[in-house]
Amino acid sequence: GAGVSQSPSNKVTEKGKDVELRCDPISGHTALYWYRQSLGQGLEFLIYFQGNSAPDKSGLPSDRFSAERTGGSVSTLTIQRTQQEDSAVYLCASSSRGDGSVETQYFGPGTRLLVL
Amino acid sequence: AQSVTQLGSHVSVSEGALVLLRCNYSSSVPPYLFWYVQYPNQGLQLLLKYTSAATLVKGINGFEAEFKKSETSFHLTKPSAHMSDAAEYFCAVGNTGFQKLVFGTGTRLLVSP
């Protein structure tokens, strides 16, 4: 079946603009994750959604970052007033459940964000 | 808190040589351990996963890893490197009460002819 998809694949924006990144998880997966991959920082967890539970936002680096998941499926990560340090690859992953075992997370290809 | 240490940001091998990528973890509870591979401009692909069923885990593309609790290690090996193995490899740890994965900083594998 189809894997995790993300759009856009690349995004160039100017400092101070807002951006929205989209993630379509694998159909039927109840858990969805956002990670950020920066040069020199490795992969950092940002936010985790599980079903209808309140999301775990503990990894969001500032209040300029927010995410939502509509209808338990598609998720949008929004970065407001972008800064140059926000330049990174934003990876989305989904798994079949995350409420009692550690299921494999399947990753999308990522959105490469460049803030000028 | 959980953490992962990958020794060596770059590892170079010749085609046909043994591949050994090192991963050590820290976890206060029984861990789940993962190895992912990332090819250029692509997302992460799961190579293998340890969930306590067996200490030696076989994955895709001829890779395997052995969980050694006494050494808190989960090193990735492949008997004979192929040019197509050149990529970045990430070790990650999670557990049942900690769904988000904690990743190591990655090891870039270079394979020369």
Side-chain angles (χ1 to χ4, degrees):
Chain A
V4 177
S5 60
Q6 294 185 244
S7 60
S9 54
N10 291 279
K11 177 71 177 179
V12 181
T13 190
E14 293 179 350
K15 179 181 173 181
K17 300 279 190 184
D18 298 352
V19 296
E20 286 189 350
L21 313 180
R22 176 187 169 104
C23 172
D24 278 275
I26 293 171
S27 178
H29 279 190
T30 57
L32 187 147
Y33 313 76
W34 283 98
Y35 294 87
R36 178 169 72 173
Q37 186 174 23
S38 312
L39 197 62
Q41 296 292 325
L43 276 150
E44 307 169 84
F45 164 79
L46 295 177
I47 188 168
Y48 158 57
F49 296 89
Q50 168 53 32
N52 295 320
S53 303
D56 176 352
K57 304 179 182 180
S58 60
L60 294 178
S62 77
D63 59 8
R64 296 186 295 103
F65 287 73
S66 63
E68 62 178 21
R69 189 178 184 192
T70 54
S73 181
V74 171
S75 176
T76 303
L77 177 69
T78 301
I79 309 173
Q80 296 179 307
R81 306 181 301 282
T82 52
Q83 302 295 312
Q84 289 182 330
E85 61 262 27
D86 299 334
S87 298
V89 177
Y90 290 82
L91 293 167
C92 176
S94 70
S95 66
S96 57
R97 68 177 188 274
D99 57 354
S101 63
V102 182
E103 297 295 328
T104 298
Q105 294 182 25
Y106 295 90
F107 284 79
T111 293
R112 194 171 300 271
L113 175 66
L114 177 61
V115 182
L116 300 175
Chain B
Q2 296 180 307
S3 66
V4 171
T5 301
Q6 290 185 243
L7 290 176
S9 59
H10 292 79
V11 169
S12 295
V13 300
S14 299
E15 192 172 21
L18 171 71
V19 175
L20 170 61
L21 304 182
R22 299 178 184 275
C23 172
N24 288 88
Y25 70 91
S26 173
S27 177
S28 57
V29 296
Y32 287 68
L33 294 160
F34 303 78
W35 275 101
Y36 282 87
V37 60
Q38 186 178 35
Y39 298 101
N41 299 315
Q42 296 187 27
L44 277 69
Q45 178 183 1
L46 181 72
L47 275 178
L48 49 81
K49 170 184 175 183
Y50 166 76
T51 60
S52 78
T55 56
L56 182 63
V57 182
K58 294 188 182 298
I60 61 171
N61 301 338
F63 285 93
E64 64 181 36
E66 185 172 9
F67 173 72
K68 292 187 177 180
K69 184 178 179 180
S70 61
E71 298 177 8
T72 60
S73 69
F74 191 57
H75 301 331
L76 181 71
T77 61
K78 181 174 180 178
S80 177
H82 192 272
M83 296 294 290
S84 61
D85 295 326
E88 189 149 21
Y89 292 79
F90 292 92
C91 182
V93 64
N95 66 58
T96 56
F98 191 73
Q99 294 297 332
K100 48 190 180 268
L101 295 179
V102 174
F103 285 86
T105 51
T107 297
R108 186 168 298 278
L109 177 65
L110 307 169
V111 182
S112 56

